[in-house]
Amino acid sequence: MQARYYTLNEAKAALPVVKALMSQVQEARSEILRLRPEIWPVLQKAAQNGGNAAAGSVYSQFDKLETGVKGILKMGILVKDIDMGLIDFLSIRNGREVYLCWKHGEDDLSFWHDVNAGFGGRQPIDPEDF
């Protein structure tokens, strides 16, 4: 899916849907790890690539995980790390492309980072900049 640009307000408005989808992903991930931890690396890669035969024994959980990830991607939001529940909204800050960054478990969308900085470069959002 193609990422789309989000304003800070649009990203915050989309966050409840993203939270629900990522909760579904995290619940399915936990169940897969409980049932078949040895196949998690295969499923993690397959979730964004349309599936894999190794997923057969945990299909219902994989289906939930894949549906959640694809739901987020269809919104034009990037899924950066399934394990962390990390997503990025493409945005513009002071005329430059940046990511508004949210991690599963966070209450609000409170951080941004440069496109090349990654999670370690997260900085608090100043609404005046967006």
Side-chain angles (χ1 to χ4, degrees), residues 16-41:
V17 173
V18 171
K19 283 181 176 182
L21 289 168
M22 187 53 77
S23 288
Q24 175 181 323
V25 168
Q26 293 303 308
E27 289 168 15
R29 177 189 168 276
S30 293
E31 189 63 9
I32 290 165
L33 286 170
R34 186 184 73 74
L35 294 170
R36 297 285 306 273
E38 74 280 4
I39 68 169
W40 175 243

Side-chain angles (χ1 to χ4, degrees), residues 34-59:
R34 186 184 73 74
L35 294 170
R36 297 285 306 273
E38 74 280 4
I39 68 169
W40 175 243
V42 173
L43 294 176
Q44 187 176 24
K45 290 178 183 166
Q48 293 180 3
N49 296 327
N52 186 290
S57 63
V58 289
Y59 177 76

Side-chain angles (χ1 to χ4, degrees), residues 61-125:
Q61 294 305 316
F62 176 74
D63 188 49
K64 283 184 193 176
L65 185 141
E66 186 177 42
T67 299
V69 169
K70 286 184 176 181
I72 293 168
L73 293 173
K74 283 181 184 173
M75 296 172 70
I77 301 165
L78 303 169
V79 177
K80 291 298 188 123
D81 188 313
I82 292 173
D83 287 329
M84 292 175 61
L86 187 63
I87 61 101
D88 285 337
F89 297 85
L90 185 59
S91 189
I92 300 290
R93 178 183 180 268
N94 297 327
R96 292 183 309 126
E97 284 187 347
V98 298
Y99 290 129
L100 301 171
C101 183
W102 178 81
K103 181 181 169 207
H104 180 69
E106 294 178 343
D107 291 330
D108 199 7
L109 186 56
S110 302
F111 298 96
W112 71 275
H113 61 81
D114 284 319
V115 173
N116 296 323
F119 183 78
R122 292 192 341 157
Q123 300 177 48
I125 289 175

